[in-house]
Each structure stands twice: as C-alpha cells, then as structure tokens.
C-alpha cells in the first residue's frame, strides 16, 4: 500500500479534516512535478494550434483558431446536439450562486444556457456516439499539447472527474452573465477542497453554420490589453496557489492559504524568472465567507493598484446566500476593463483561455435560431483534497 502525505487542521465545526497534496504523488500514479519558476514556458512545436496560441493562453489572453474543426465533423456534432435536444437530453444550467441551491435560482430554458451534461453524458450511447468519440479523441490530442506547452503536466492524464465535455444550447434571447470558470477553493466556503482536480483551461468549439455578427450570442471576453499581455509572468496558478487578482494590471496576485501561521497571504512573483515571491498582504489572515474583498488585506502601498478578478458585483459565484448582489451579473462599465474582445460563434472556431484568470460572458442571442457549441474544461490536479 502506498501512503499519501497528509496533514490535518481544525475546522470551524471542530471536526478534523485531512488534506492530501497531489504534488507529492509518485509518477506511477500519473502525477509529475515541474519547475514552476513562474516564467512562461517557451512554446513547444504545435500540431493542432497555430503559432502564438500557447503563449497567449499562458499570459492570460484568448487563443482563437478559426476553421479548426473539419466541416464534416461540425455538421455531425450539430445534428447530434439538435437530436439530443429534441430528445430531452438538455437541462437549464445558468450561472450558479454557490451559496444557494440551483432550485432556488430559477433557471429557465428561454433565458439561460442549457447543457447536455445534465442528460445522459458525452460518452453515452445516445445520439451520434461515434461523432462525439471522434471529437473527444481530437480534444485529447489538444489537451496533451496544452499540457506540454503550458507546463501543466497533470492536464494530460485521464480520470473519472478529470475533464468536462458537453454541448451548450442557447435559445433566442438567452445569455450568460460575466463570470470566471474557476475560483480558489478557499473562497468556496464549505464547498471548497472537495475534488482532486480543478478547471485549468476552458475550451469552446462553435457549431453554428453561417452565423453572422448581427445574430448576437458573441462570446465577450475581458482580457488584459496587449501591453499588459506582454508580461512574461504566468497566470492562473503558481505552485498550486490560484490567482485572485492583478497588481498594476500586469502582475498576477496569488492566494496562499497554507501559510506556516495557519492563515492566508496574498503575493506576487518577485520576477518572472525568479522562484522568490513578494508578500502583498499586510499580515496573514483568515479568508472570510462570501462576499470577499481581498483589498482589505493588502498592505496600504499596494491597495490602490490591486484589482480583484471576481467580486460580488461582477460574478454571481462570488456573492452571499441572500443574493442581494445578483443584479451585478450584467457586464460592468467598460471603463473598468482594460480591453474587451467579442468572438462570433462561427462554425469550426476553437477558443481557449485560462479558466482562473479570464472573465467572460455570452451576449444575448438576437437571432431567431439557436446558438450551439461544444464546450468544456481541461482539469489539472488541485493542491489538496479534503476528507472528513
């Protein structure tokens, strides 16, 4: 039997909980270590992605590959999604306030996104299973390429909850508010640290034939400006600590919740090529319940230049149970974003970005037809998993 390294802490309910660090698991279990110096890795030769795509993702931008999926496969997947929808295999799946249950949030087919993962599942034998398998094989090759190019080795292994793949369906008038696809586990309260993996890279492949700009439904992303993207600092995570904000619009700010003190701290990398870090918080602190404002913990000299990625006003997953800030799902004033990028959901287009650092939303569909896409997330290992 292989023993897993672990330690314990005292929870609010006085129940002992145990954390296992996957970074220490042996290679025989499919986990491997990496340098994690903080520098963006030089892009490896690409088979499925064009020049610059890997670096774009690593720096917090959006990689767009037009005509990436062969037309015949686009056609097969679109037909499959439509057949599955009419067979009742989709369910409403809007943005979830994690402090409240889904049944309390009133998702509807007309106003919200619907997903196939609420039905039989991508690998089931319903519909055109052969087309979905062909697509899954192509996405597996893409995932392996990203694992090497982004220096995220635990993206590569398969697993029961390792990766997510689904169809998205938007009726005319439906939309999806501004959000992030992944947050630091410590900000999720009692729902944090439950799973051994977390979302790392978000991907979308559009299936809409002949979709025009005036039909709406654009994917609106809020990346940093080109000048800010020129930084070579890694985004998303550093040594397993997930990013929660930016300093001066260019330096990722990470949350370390396993300090020797038992508290948490905010920090940035001392330099892109250095192993050193610079603490930004005035003192170690306990992460409060939602809604969370990390600026209150920043040292005074950094507070004015700190920008939190998700706040209760900008993301429904970052609010309290009373839902008083849910109206903020609407996009923030443009003056608060360094840049905006609208992507038309044209057939065959592949979009990729870091799941932790890039806010995005789906604009209302103004067409009289449905907006259809294959979407999902490639996972990498979490820092720890909690066991009761």
């Amino acid at each position: 039997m292989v023993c897993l390294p672990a330690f314990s802490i005292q929870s609010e309910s006085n129940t002992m909980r145990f954390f296992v660090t996957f970074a220490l698991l042996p290679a025989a279990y499919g986990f491997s270590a990496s340098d994690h110096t903080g520098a963006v890795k030089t892009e490896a030769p690409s088979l499925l992605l064009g020049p610059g795509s890997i670096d774009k993702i690593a720096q917090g931008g959006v990689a767009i590959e037009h005509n990436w999926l062969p037309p015949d496969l686009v056609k097969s997947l679109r037909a499959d999604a439509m057949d599955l929808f009419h067979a009742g295999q989709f369910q409403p799946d809007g943005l979830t306030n994690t402090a409240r249950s889904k049944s309390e949030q009133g998702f509807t087919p007309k106003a919200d996104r619907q997903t196939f993962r609420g039905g039989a599942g991508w690998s089931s034998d319903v519909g055109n299973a052969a087309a979905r398998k062909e697509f899954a094989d192509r996405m597996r090759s893409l995932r392996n390429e990203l694992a090497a190019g982004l220096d995220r080795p635990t993206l590569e292994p398969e697993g029961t909850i390792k990766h997510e793949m689904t169809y998205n369906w938007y009726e005319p008038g439906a939309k999806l508010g501004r959000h992030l696809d992944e947050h630091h586990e410590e900000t999720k309260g009692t729902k944090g640290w439950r799973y051994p993996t977390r979302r790392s890279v978000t991907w979308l492949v559009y299936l809409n034939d002949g979709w025009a700009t005036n039909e709406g439904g654009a994917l609106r992303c809020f990346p940093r400006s080109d000048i800010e993207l020129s930084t070579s600092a890694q985004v998303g995570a550093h040594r397993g600590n997930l990013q929660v904000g930016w300093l001066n619009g260019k330096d990722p700010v990470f949350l370390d919740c396993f300090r020797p003190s038992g508290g948490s701290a905010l920090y940035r990398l001392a330099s892109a090529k250095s192993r050193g870090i610079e603490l930004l918080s005035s003192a170690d602190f306990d992460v409060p319940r939602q809604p969370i404002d990390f600026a209150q913990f920043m040292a005074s000299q950094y507070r004015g230049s700190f920008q939190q990625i998700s706040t209760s006003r900008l993301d429904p997953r970052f609010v309290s149970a009373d839902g008083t800030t849910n109206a903020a799902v609407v996009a923030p004033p443009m003056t608060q974003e360094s840049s905006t990028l609208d992507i038309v959901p044209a057939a065959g287009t592949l979009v990729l970005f870091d799941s932790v650092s890039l806010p995005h939303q789906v604009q209302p569909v103004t067409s009289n037809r449905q907006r259809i896409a294959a979407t999902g997330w490639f996972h990498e290992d979490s820092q720890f998993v909690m066991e009761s």
Side-chain angles (χ1 to χ4, degrees):
M1 181 177 68
V2 177
C3 295
L4 302 179
F7 63 90
S8 61
I9 64 169
Q10 197 74 17
S11 71
E12 292 180 1
S13 61
N14 294 322
T15 301
M16 198 68 71
R17 292 175 176 176
F18 299 88
F19 296 84
V20 179
T21 172
F22 286 89
L24 300 179
L25 284 172
Y29 282 80
F31 297 87
S32 56
S34 60
D35 187 8
H36 298 298
T37 61
V40 172
K41 188 174 181 179
T42 302
E43 189 161 350
S46 178
L47 298 175
L48 291 173
L49 296 175
S53 287
I54 293 290
D55 285 342
K56 184 77 79 171
I57 300 166
Q59 294 170 352
V62 184
I64 305 172
E65 300 279 345
H66 297 290
N67 302 311
W68 183 81
L69 197 65
D72 287 348
L73 187 52
V74 170
K75 183 177 179 180
S76 296
L77 292 176
R78 182 173 62 246
D80 182 47
M82 296 179 74
D83 289 344
L84 292 169
F85 179 84
H86 293 303
Q89 296 289 347
F90 283 68
Q91 294 180 2
D93 185 26
L95 292 179
T96 302
N97 174 352
T98 54
R100 305 168 67 197
S101 67
K102 277 194 174 184
S103 61
E104 296 178 294
Q105 298 177 63
F107 298 135
T108 65
K110 292 296 183 183
D112 296 296
R113 169 187 63 185
Q114 300 178 67
T115 60
F116 170 52
R117 66 178 178 179
W122 192 268
S123 60
S124 67
D125 58 1
V126 299
N128 192 341
R132 293 198 305 276
K133 183 181 183 304
E134 181 181 349
F135 179 76
D137 290 342
R138 185 176 178 89
M139 297 306 290
R140 183 181 300 109
S141 297
L142 173 63
R143 192 182 75 237
N144 294 341
E145 189 172 323
L146 290 168
L150 293 172
D151 192 19
R152 302 183 187 184
T154 63
L155 276 178
E156 187 171 355
E158 297 286 352
T160 305
I161 56 174
K162 188 74 179 180
H163 310 290
E164 300 173 75
M165 190 172 293
T166 185
Y167 287 129
N168 278 354
W169 181 285
Y170 288 78
E171 288 288 330
K175 62 184 183 299
L176 193 67
R178 185 189 193 277
H179 64 285
L180 287 177
D181 286 337
E182 186 60 280
H183 297 90
H184 197 296
E185 293 296 313
E186 194 70 7
T187 68
K188 300 177 183 179
T190 58
K191 295 184 178 181
W193 304 111
R194 288 187 175 186
Y195 304 106
T197 67
R198 55 102 180 163
R199 291 173 177 176
S200 177
V201 178
T202 299
W203 59 264
L204 307 96
V205 178
Y206 296 112
L207 307 175
N208 310 287
D209 188 34
W211 195 271
T213 303
N214 61 8
E215 293 185 90
L219 174 67
R220 174 164 290 181
C221 299
F222 301 97
R224 296 178 296 155
S225 67
D226 289 340
I227 294 176
E228 292 167 336
L229 281 174
S230 64
T231 176
S232 59
Q234 68 178 36
V235 305
H238 171 252
R239 297 177 182 171
N241 300 315
L242 266 62
Q243 182 181 354
V244 297
W246 301 97
L247 197 67
N248 300 316
K250 63 182 182 66
D251 293 335
V253 176
F254 303 98
L255 173 64
D256 178 3
C257 59
F258 295 105
R259 299 275 294 164
S261 67
S264 301
L266 298 166
Y267 71 91
R268 66 175 170 179
L269 302 182
S271 69
K273 297 182 180 180
S274 170
R275 289 180 176 271
I277 65 171
E278 179 185 358
L279 289 178
L280 304 174
S281 42
S282 55
D284 288 1
F285 59 91
D286 292 327
V287 176
R289 294 181 178 180
Q290 301 284 14
I292 300 172
D293 177 14
F294 284 113
Q296 64 183 307
F297 304 113
M298 298 287 285
S300 58
Q301 66 267 36
Y302 301 119
R303 197 169 299 150
S305 55
F306 172 69
Q307 181 184 18
Q308 188 166 314
I309 302 176
S310 279
T311 67
S312 60
R313 195 181 67 78
L314 298 177
D315 194 329
R317 296 172 178 170
F318 234 65
V319 301
S320 58
D322 60 22
T324 54
T325 54
N326 272 353
V329 174
V330 180
M334 297 312 301
T335 55
Q336 296 197 8
E337 303 293 347
S338 57
S339 63
T340 302
L341 174 64
D342 281 355
I343 303 168
V344 177
T349 300
L350 167 70
V351 178
L352 295 159
F353 52 85
D354 181 81
S355 302
V356 175
S357 62
L358 190 92
H360 56 284
Q361 64 189 49
V362 175
Q363 297 293 88
V365 175
T366 57
S367 176
N368 59 3
R369 58 175 173 151
Q370 294 80 17
R371 175 191 187 273
I372 309 171
T375 66
W377 300 269
F378 295 143
H379 282 225
E380 61 178 312
D381 296 338
S382 293
Q383 236 179 339
F384 304 93
V385 64
M386 183 180 292
E387 299 176 349
S388 59

